[in-house]
Amino acid sequence: MTQVPYRGAGPALNDLLAGVADLSSISAVMAGPLVKAGKIKGYAIIGRARFAGLPDLPTMGEVGYKKLDLDFWHMLLAPAGTPGPIVERLNVALRHALADAKVRKVFEERGMDVFAPEEQTPQAARALLTREVKLWGDVIRANNIAAH
């Protein structure tokens, strides 16, 4: 296999659909409708649990790749040095949106989970980001990965 870096999931998905690429790791939220329509074939989900939008697809752990039992997440970020009151105002607005029934329905329909309210704070986001930086930093160092 040859790894081809793309400038985002859109171009990778276009090449997959056009037959230029034979396989790709694409967000299940993006790829789900195409899998359901039979335009691409899904083999497994990278995650700790099956994706609600494609419940018949096993996780990578279920097919023998336990190290790929990883969770995906989205985070609202602001530039370093953003004043605390502004961060707090953004967080209040985000939490309000995530509590809205219409927003939650869209998330649910697309197979996305919403973090519990206690995990929707700037402090919880910082802790998650710190864990992820350590995890992937360890992977990079253990595999001698370098930027080119």
Side-chain angles (χ1 to χ4, degrees):
M1 249 192 310
T2 302
Q3 190 264 344
V4 178
Y6 281 90
R7 294 180 71 96
L13 192 53
N14 286 339
D15 277 0
L16 187 62
L17 287 165
V20 173
D22 294 322
L23 103 112
S24 185
S25 177
I26 304 281
S27 155
V29 172
M30 267 187 95
L34 296 166
V35 171
K36 287 178 182 176
K39 295 188 184 265
I40 59 176
K41 170 92 171 120
Y43 291 97
I45 296 293
I46 298 173
R48 294 174 205 255
R50 289 190 179 208
F51 177 65
L54 298 168
D56 294 334
L57 279 184
T59 67
M60 290 293 282
E62 288 176 297
V63 297
Y65 297 95
K66 296 284 185 205
K67 288 185 178 182
L68 289 174
D69 279 347
L70 306 166
D71 284 325
F72 287 90
W73 46 268
H74 295 94
M75 185 179 291
L76 179 63
L77 300 168
T82 300
I86 292 174
V87 170
E88 188 55 36
R89 188 170 173 195
L90 288 168
N91 184 251
V92 167
L94 174 65
R95 293 173 77 140
H96 180 73
L98 292 176
D100 183 89
K102 289 179 186 174
V103 171
R104 293 184 78 87
K105 183 174 187 239
V106 169
F107 274 54
E108 183 180 305
E109 287 171 353
R110 298 199 176 141
M112 297 183 288
D113 296 321
V114 175
F115 280 101
E118 64 274 8
E119 296 174 358
Q120 296 175 11
T121 66
Q123 298 77 15
R126 189 175 302 110
L128 172 62
L129 199 52
T130 298
R131 287 190 307 273
E132 291 288 300
V133 167
K134 181 186 180 329
L135 169 72
W136 294 109
D138 290 348
V139 168
I140 289 166
R141 283 184 291 282
N143 291 284
N144 298 311
I145 299 171
H148 295 282

